[in-house]
Amino acid sequence: MRMMKNKNNETVTVIGIDHGYGNMKTATRCFPSGVARYDKEPIFQNNLLVYNGMYYQIGEEHKEFCAEKTQDEDYYVLTLAAIARELDGKGMNRAKVHIAAGLPLTWVATQKEDFQKYLLQNESVDFIFRNKEYHVEFAGADIYPQGFAAAFYRLQDFKGINMLVDIGNGTMNIMYINNSRPLEKKCFTEKYGTHQCVLAVRESLLKELGTVVDDLVIEQVIRTGTADIGEKYLIVIRKAAGDYTKEIFHKLREREYNPELMRLYVVGGGGCMIQNFGEYDKSRVTIVRDICATAKGYEAMTVRKIQRNGGMLV
C-alpha cells in the first residue's frame, strides 16, 4: 500500500492485489480465496464481510478454477477484503483507492477491459469486515500481466536469456525475459498449477492406499515436503508430487527451456514444488519464495505510472 498525491493533488492509496485461485495476496497480506455466502448472519464470524445486505465468510470453501474471474461476485468481495486488510494494517478505514491488479499473461489482452470494469463497478462502497466499518472510493484500476509483475522491480537481474515461470494455484504463466526485456510473443499460460497437483496426489492416494486424505495435509506436504502423518502416506504423496513436478519441467521444455542456455526464475506459490520435488541445477534456477511478490510488482508499476503523470509519493 502506497500513499500518493496525483496530478490533481488528491490523496490516493495504491493497493496491489494478486487475485489468485488459491490465495489472495497484497503487498503485506495473504489469505485463502474462498467465499461462502449467507443470507443471514452466520454463527462463526472470524472473517465475516458484510456487503450489500449479504454476509460473506472470507477464506471458507475452495475457489474453483474459472477462466473468467468476472463470472461471479466472489473476486469483487475478495477485493474488498484485501483492501480492508491493507487499510487496517495502517489503522485506516476510509480511503480513495487505486487498484493495481493483473491477469494471466495470455489473457490480459482479451480480459483486461472487463476485469477493470468489474473492479470499478461501484464509484464508492461501504462494507463491514471483521466488525469494522469501511468506506472506499475508487480512483481507478490498472491491470498488468501476471508473472512479469513479480520480476518488475528486479529486471536488472535478468541478463542474457531467461525464462520466468509463475506457478499459481490454477495456472502456470511462462515468459521469456532477455537482457531485462520481456518478449511479448513468447508468453504462455498453462492450466497447470498447485491445485492440479493436489488433485493428482489425491487420485494416487485413492488408487494406492484406498484412502481419502484431507487436502490441507496434501498441501502441507507440497509446501514443506513433509507432514505429521504416517510414512506410507508420505511416500505416496511425495512420489505423486515428484511426478507432477517432472511434468512441469516437461512443459517448460516444450516451450524451449534449455537449462544450459538460459536461466530459470520461478515465482508464485508453486515454487515450493520445484524446491521440494524438482531435479535441477540450483546454480541456474532461482526460486523467489515471496508469495506477495506479484502484488508488490503491480503496486510498483502503478506508482511509477502515477509519478509519470505528475503524481508523487507522500
Side-chain angles (χ1 to χ4, degrees):
M1 183 172 117
R2 308 289 291 276
M3 304 293 292
M4 303 194 72
K5 289 282 188 180
N6 62 21
K7 62 181 179 181
N8 299 321
N9 204 36
E10 299 173 315
T11 300
V12 176
T13 303
V14 178
I15 298 181
I17 305 175
D18 181 4
H19 296 78
Y21 294 105
N23 293 289
M24 293 286 291
K25 285 84 67 179
T26 65
T28 63
R29 301 288 189 271
C30 176
F31 59 95
S33 298
V35 179
R37 173 175 170 167
Y38 301 91
D39 295 327
K40 297 181 180 180
E41 188 173 355
I43 296 173
F44 301 106
Q45 302 184 11
N46 290 338
N47 292 295
L48 185 67
L49 188 146
V50 184
Y51 162 67
N52 206 20
M54 299 299 297
Y55 300 87
Y56 302 89
Q57 284 282 23
I58 305 301
E60 296 292 322
E61 302 180 358
H62 176 75
K63 179 64 180 171
E64 295 297 329
F65 176 87
C66 56
E68 296 279 351
K69 293 186 177 181
T70 59
Q71 71 178 24
D72 57 35
E73 66 178 356
D74 286 1
Y75 276 111
Y76 188 76
V77 173
L78 289 166
T79 297
L80 297 182
I83 291 171
R85 285 175 179 263
E86 281 289 297
L87 293 179
D88 184 63
K90 298 293 184 180
M92 300 167 59
N93 69 336
R94 302 175 65 89
K96 181 184 283 289
V97 172
H98 192 120
I99 298 173
L103 289 167
L105 291 170
T106 56
W107 298 357
V108 174
T110 58
Q111 298 184 18
K112 175 180 178 179
E113 186 176 343
D114 286 342
F115 194 41
Q116 190 175 48
K117 290 179 179 177
Y118 175 81
L119 295 174
L120 298 177
Q121 60 186 268
N122 296 310
E123 291 184 3
S124 64
V125 63
D126 294 284
F127 63 97
I128 299 171
F129 184 58
R130 291 179 167 177
N131 294 314
K132 185 174 181 178
E133 295 183 358
Y134 290 88
H135 175 77
V136 174
E137 298 176 15
F138 293 100
D142 294 317
I143 310 300
Y144 301 104
Q146 195 172 304
F148 171 68
F152 174 75
Y153 53 88
R154 52 183 298 172
L155 279 176
Q156 66 277 2
D157 296 340
F158 289 80
K159 305 300 182 184
I161 300 175
N162 307 272
M163 175 180 277
L164 173 72
V165 56
D166 178 4
I167 306 173
N169 190 261
T171 60
M172 179 170 70
N173 292 283
I174 303 166
M175 169 184 278
Y176 279 81
I177 301 178
N178 295 349
N179 286 329
S180 302
R181 296 176 62 88
L183 303 184
E184 186 172 349
K185 292 184 178 180
K186 300 196 75 172
C187 296
F188 315 96
T189 297
E190 303 268 3
K191 186 183 175 183
Y192 210 78
T194 57
H195 181 58
Q196 287 79 19
C197 181
V198 171
L199 295 179
V201 172
R202 189 195 300 169
E203 184 177 347
S204 291
L205 285 164
L206 195 58
K207 179 181 178 180
E208 298 293 329
L209 301 175
T211 304
V212 175
V213 176
D214 195 292
D215 285 355
L216 289 176
V217 174
I218 298 174
E219 290 168 0
Q220 183 181 357
V221 177
I222 291 174
R223 188 169 58 252
T224 67
T226 189
D228 187 15
I229 57 176
E231 185 64 23
K232 66 179 181 180
Y233 297 101
L234 274 176
I235 291 173
V236 174
I237 295 173
R238 286 170 176 161
K239 172 65 166 55
D243 291 343
Y244 190 89
T245 304
K246 289 178 182 177
E247 185 61 24
I248 288 177
F249 279 99
H250 173 70
K251 289 186 175 295
L252 296 183
R253 288 192 296 273
E254 288 182 336
R255 301 299 183 182
E256 301 180 0
Y257 170 60
N258 185 330
E260 295 184 1
L261 298 178
M262 62 190 67
R263 291 188 176 274
L264 179 67
Y265 286 78
V266 184
V267 300
C272 57
M273 289 191 294
I274 304 297
Q275 181 167 306
N276 294 326
F277 306 105
E279 297 178 4
Y280 59 92
D281 182 350
K282 293 183 179 180
S283 68
R284 299 191 61 78
V285 177
T286 299
I287 299 176
V288 181
R289 293 303 303 269
D290 182 1
I291 197 170
C292 296
T294 296
K296 291 176 181 176
Y298 294 153
E299 203 166 278
M301 286 191 282
T302 288
V303 166
R304 187 178 71 169
K305 176 183 175 181
I306 294 175
Q307 288 175 323
R308 285 181 171 177
N309 289 332
M312 60 184 294
L313 289 165
V314 295

